[in-house]
Amino acid sequence: MNFTYFWIITLLVKLAISSLFPLSGDEAYYWVWAQKLQLSYFDHPPMTGWLFALIPDSIKLLSRWPAVILGHLTFLIWYRIISRNSAIDWKKWQGLALLSPLLGLGSIIVTPDLPLLFFWSLSVDYFLRALNEKDMKYYVLLGLSLGLGFLSKYPIVLLVPIFLIFLGIEKKWNQVKWKSLVYTFVFGLVCCLPVFIWNYKNDWISFSFQWEHGFNQGDWNWRWTADFVLGTILLFFPTLFWGFFKSFKLKGDDLTFHKIAALVPLAFFTYSSFKGPSELNWALIAYPHMLYLFFRTNFKPWQLFAPVGFWVCLYSVVLFGIFFPQGLIHDKLREPFKYRAYSSLPTTYSPLFTSTYQMASSLWFISGTPVYKVRGVSRFDHFDLMTENQIPDRFFYMKEDYQEWPEALPESQWEKEEVSKPIPGHAVFVVRKK
């Protein structure tokens, strides 16, 4: 099939599914960011919230579309990168990538990783073009893409050591136009300014949070590292990892670059798993480079078909859940469906406050009525910084049954009375100030 047609068809499939599948709690949380745009946010840079803001509330069904389209444009960038190397079969690379959970169906879930991967790939393309074509415009575009990547997610900074290591190993320092590199720095810095301005005004709390989240969560637990390493191998798929390691026997400038670009994120987040739990999606930026290397090896057909078969089975389960959500067993898969039948709750119990940002965000999204998380309950997040989030003398508080009564609402100052169990596993209390 023609590349253009295949790209369009798969995009349309993604857009259709993304409009059917309800937002997860984290996605609804990013949507809440868009209700009051800021230069940046506590949990992440602002790009995800900005993308959600492109769709008006009147057509919330399409809220994912800007991010999904941006993520799908990543394939055009890799087409440009791969087309410069005739040793790779682009159709097979694209087909496998689109069937994978990370770049295929999973890319309808809007997280900061979607814009990060787009600007990461764009930066890689412009870096390689700047070296090979020595045109100043690519240095400017490299700065812009790096800066916009920083507005998406902080791990874009890993590209800097990747570029430097590659230049050092391949001894390509003489191919760098050092005067033009000033433009890369200036344009990159200008694009980064929203994040730095917001953090400066907020005591650098976003940077501190990310550091604590990734590198300071207490004494090492062997399960952190085991879960990350084994989970990444399974998610990327073992046969692809095997091909990736086989590629280290091959030599070539392009191979060296993609080896470094894959290894640095994998090593970085494996190291972080010794400091705290590392989430599997963090290593997504290594994935397209690993696919590039896999397709440079003499792989066996079964190494290609094994992941495809596994992923098709996985997708069957997920798609079944779209139409029969009660059939899903795992809570994480059930989460997007939990609140969608309760759009009247925020008006029935008004004003309504909740115990988690996911619950507040999901109810806000489905109802269109602002719902806030009580400040100081669960972990610190965007709701704790919202000036609109003020508890009145009387309000309704919803929590899940397993959760303890929060210390933020001490019984010495507040009296509570359970009034309803509107959702299985949840309770609503009317809370009054004494």
Side-chain angles (χ1 to χ4, degrees):
M1 181 184 292
N2 180 278
F3 160 70
T4 304
Y5 292 149
F6 187 64
W7 184 86
I8 293 173
I9 290 171
T10 50
L11 173 60
L12 293 176
V13 170
K14 283 185 180 180
L15 293 176
I17 295 176
S18 71
S19 62
L20 290 173
F21 198 81
L23 265 63
S24 67
D26 284 342
E27 288 179 290
Y29 180 55
Y30 302 139
W31 175 86
V32 167
W33 294 1
Q35 305 314 296
K36 186 177 180 181
L37 292 178
Q38 298 181 10
L39 293 177
S40 191
Y41 299 91
F42 171 73
D43 309 75
H44 289 291
M47 186 63 71
T48 312
W50 291 359
L51 290 171
F52 269 118
L54 295 175
I55 299 296
D57 288 350
S58 58
I59 49 173
K60 284 193 295 186
L61 190 68
L62 312 182
S63 294
R64 286 190 177 108
W65 281 24
V68 171
I69 292 171
L70 185 69
H72 206 66
L73 288 172
T74 302
F75 285 92
L76 299 183
I77 301 169
W78 278 93
Y79 174 74
R80 200 161 61 181
I81 294 172
I82 291 173
S83 64
R84 296 197 287 268
N85 190 318
S86 58
I88 294 180
D89 187 330
W90 161 249
K91 291 182 180 179
K92 289 182 180 179
W93 188 99
Q94 179 189 222
L96 188 63
L98 282 169
L99 285 171
S100 71
L102 293 168
L103 301 179
L105 191 60
S107 64
I108 69 166
I109 306 301
V110 178
T111 69
D113 295 293
L114 279 183
L116 169 65
L117 185 59
F118 173 80
F119 290 113
W120 174 284
S121 304
L122 201 61
S123 299
V124 165
D125 185 39
Y126 288 141
F127 170 76
L128 296 176
R129 283 173 172 261
L131 282 186
N132 296 326
E133 301 182 29
K134 298 180 176 59
D135 191 327
M136 187 188 73
K137 71 179 180 183
Y138 291 121
Y139 286 87
V140 173
L141 293 170
L142 175 59
L144 291 172
S145 57
L146 286 171
L148 292 172
F150 194 74
L151 294 185
S152 303
K153 201 174 181 182
Y154 299 133
I156 192 74
V157 300
L158 293 177
L159 277 176
V160 175
I162 288 171
F163 294 160
L164 294 175
I165 293 170
F166 171 71
L167 291 172
I169 290 177
E170 292 296 323
K171 298 180 175 56
K172 289 183 177 291
W173 300 107
N174 60 339
Q175 289 185 230
V176 178
K177 294 184 66 174
W178 296 101
K179 291 183 178 179
S180 297
L181 200 59
V182 174
Y183 293 100
T184 302
F185 177 79
V186 170
F187 280 91
L189 181 61
V190 169
C191 286
C192 292
L193 282 179
V195 169
F196 284 107
I197 292 172
W198 186 91
N199 273 277
Y200 173 75
K201 291 182 176 180
N202 291 276
D203 298 321
W204 310 100
I205 57 173
S206 180
F207 293 153
S208 298
F209 165 70
Q210 291 298 336
W211 177 261
E212 295 289 326
H213 184 46
F215 293 99
N216 192 20
Q217 295 199 41
D219 296 332
W220 177 62
N221 184 328
W222 67 270
R223 291 188 176 183
W224 295 344
T225 305
D227 288 347
F228 177 74
V229 172
L230 295 177
T232 300
I233 292 173
L234 181 62
L235 188 61
F236 283 25
F237 209 78
T239 58
L240 300 185
F241 255 98
W242 180 249
F244 166 60
F245 287 118
K246 281 178 62 179
S247 71
F248 281 77
K249 297 179 181 179
L250 306 176
K251 294 184 179 180
D253 290 359
D254 64 313
L255 292 168
T256 300
F257 178 82
H258 292 287
K259 289 172 190 174
I260 298 168
L263 279 175
V264 168
L266 289 173
F268 180 81
F269 292 118
T270 299
Y271 170 75
S272 75
S273 72
F274 285 87
K275 305 294 183 178
S278 292
E279 298 176 19
L280 297 182
N281 61 294
W282 291 357
L284 171 64
I285 45 183
Y287 191 64
H289 301 286
M290 290 183 64
L291 284 183
Y292 184 100
L293 295 167
F294 172 80
F295 279 101
R296 285 296 304 273
T297 63
N298 294 319
F299 58 88
K300 305 295 184 183
W302 69 268
Q303 292 177 298
L304 196 59
F305 295 137
V308 171
F310 177 80
W311 293 334
V312 168
C313 292
L314 180 65
Y315 291 155
S316 299
V317 173
V318 174
L319 291 173
F320 176 82
I322 293 178
F323 301 103
F324 304 99
Q326 63 274 22
L328 293 174
I329 297 174
H330 197 281
D331 286 342
K332 199 64 179 176
L333 293 175
R334 190 186 295 118
E335 182 186 70
F337 305 92
K338 189 183 295 185
Y339 304 109
R340 67 176 181 177
Y342 303 97
S343 59
S344 62
L345 273 178
T347 53
T348 302
Y349 305 100
S350 180
L352 181 63
F353 290 75
T354 72
S355 56
T356 66
Y357 72 84
Q358 295 97 331
M359 193 188 307
S361 302
S362 296
L363 290 171
W364 188 339
F365 177 79
I366 64 172
S367 69
T369 301
V371 178
Y372 300 100
K373 186 208 77 171
V374 173
R375 286 181 177 176
V377 176
S378 66
R379 78 162 178 84
F380 191 90
D381 56 57
H382 176 63
F383 283 102
D384 293 275
L385 294 172
M386 296 177 72
T387 56
E388 304 89 345
N389 186 6
Q390 302 292 332
I391 295 179
D393 291 341
R394 179 185 181 278
F395 65 95
F396 292 92
Y397 175 69
M398 187 166 83
K399 73 177 188 68
E400 297 193 61
D401 287 341
Y402 70 86
Q403 294 175 315
E404 300 291 335
W405 190 258
E407 296 181 1
L409 299 173
E411 294 186 10
S412 61
Q413 300 176 25
W414 300 88
E415 60 181 24
K416 65 177 193 255
E417 178 187 355
E418 186 173 343
V419 295
S420 176
K421 283 188 174 294
I423 305 175
H426 295 65
V428 172
F429 296 81
V430 59
V431 184
R432 300 180 183 88
K433 200 161 195 175
K434 288 184 177 180

